[in-house]
Amino acid sequence: MTGPNDWVPAGIDVNQPSAARVYDYFLGGAHNFAVDRALAEQIAAMTPNIGETMRSNRVFLRRAVRYLAAQGVRQFLDIGSGIPTAGNVHEIALEAAPGATVVYVDIDPVAVEHSRAILAGTQGTGVICADVRDVDRVLAESEKLGLIDFDEPVAVLLAGVLHFVPDADGPASVVAALRDAVTTGSYLLISHATADGQPPEVIEAQRLSGRTATEIVLRGGTEIATYFEGFDLVEPGLVFIPRWRPDPEDPVDEHPERVGAYAGVGRKN
């Protein structure tokens, strides 16, 4: 008989909150524990729209993957993918472009192991346990899987991951290394938390994120835009998440800044 925690790899401390599991909880997932839910509820009590922010980020990712597939992209490198939930990149990509390949990359062993379990037997998908800051490893292991050919256009997805990279580790240099590895016609997707237009309680919620292994670093739109150096931003540019190519049936709230995050997609020129 299996137990409720059988999907957790050996050595994982389920008494320490995990950023990936907190995110899973906000998305309505089932792969989280009481300690994750307690931290999530504490953050939500201070910033009631945090769940909306995370769900908006996931909806943006789905819209963007459909857009990228429509542009002819058939390779997706999703770095900082987290724990899979319904409507993940591979599901959207394979529906829009049968034969597409997807490599998921995450540093959290729980996210990685559960991804591998979910994707077992799914053609064209692979999972890597690696840090976004270790670009050489990400690139080498992606090629080793035989799913990414960097001589062909690749969509590099950095959805909600760069704000976990502290300034001391040079997020701009991480993006630059990824840019240099992909060919012309490749795309870069970024969504990133920001303090722009946010009330003081957002800063306090940021402090609470420090209780997980990955503290969130809020950055301004001007700085985030510099990460797209070498890419041409597609319309509408770098905007608050709800304003990035919303579906007609999803009207944009008159205060899209409430989600507290920017989103953009660029094409390598």
Side-chain angles (χ1 to χ4, degrees), residues 91-169:
E91 294 177 340
I92 302 300
L94 291 171
E95 179 183 0
T101 59
V102 179
V103 172
Y104 290 112
V105 183
D106 205 279
I107 193 175
D108 188 325
V110 172
V112 169
E113 290 305 315
H114 197 57
S115 296
R116 287 174 174 158
I118 281 184
L119 296 172
T122 303
Q123 292 296 315
T125 64
V127 186
I128 295 168
C129 186
D131 192 319
V132 63
R133 294 166 291 189
D134 192 351
V135 174
D136 288 344
R137 179 177 177 183
V138 170
L139 299 175
E141 295 202 17
S142 295
E143 288 189 304
K144 186 177 179 180
L145 287 174
L147 296 173
I148 302 290
D149 178 358
F150 288 102
D151 290 328
E152 298 293 330
V154 180
V156 178
L157 313 179
L158 299 173
V161 64
L162 289 177
H163 50 235
F164 292 122
V165 179
D167 291 339
D169 289 340

Side-chain angles (χ1 to χ4, degrees), residues 33-197:
F33 303 108
V35 65
D36 307 303
R37 296 188 287 273
L39 178 57
E41 292 299 334
Q42 189 177 357
I43 294 172
M46 302 176 63
T47 54
N49 66 333
I50 190 69
E52 178 188 354
T53 297
M54 295 185 177
R55 289 186 290 272
S56 292
N57 185 63
R58 182 53 61 115
V59 171
F60 155 68
L61 180 60
R62 293 170 186 160
R63 291 199 306 267
V65 169
R66 292 190 188 98
Y67 167 82
L68 292 167
Q71 305 312 301
V73 176
R74 296 296 180 265
Q75 304 183 111
F76 297 84
L77 182 57
D78 185 0
I79 306 175
S81 52
I83 296 174
T85 56
N88 253 288
V89 170
H90 72 280
E91 294 177 340
I92 302 300
L94 291 171
E95 179 183 0
T101 59
V102 179
V103 172
Y104 290 112
V105 183
D106 205 279
I107 193 175
D108 188 325
V110 172
V112 169
E113 290 305 315
H114 197 57
S115 296
R116 287 174 174 158
I118 281 184
L119 296 172
T122 303
Q123 292 296 315
T125 64
V127 186
I128 295 168
C129 186
D131 192 319
V132 63
R133 294 166 291 189
D134 192 351
V135 174
D136 288 344
R137 179 177 177 183
V138 170
L139 299 175
E141 295 202 17
S142 295
E143 288 189 304
K144 186 177 179 180
L145 287 174
L147 296 173
I148 302 290
D149 178 358
F150 288 102
D151 290 328
E152 298 293 330
V154 180
V156 178
L157 313 179
L158 299 173
V161 64
L162 289 177
H163 50 235
F164 292 122
V165 179
D167 291 339
D169 289 340
S173 63
V174 170
V175 179
L178 290 165
R179 178 198 64 218
D180 292 345
V182 299
T183 190
T184 299
S186 294
Y187 286 82
L188 171 68
L189 174 153
I190 294 175
S191 60
H192 194 300
T194 184
D196 291 357

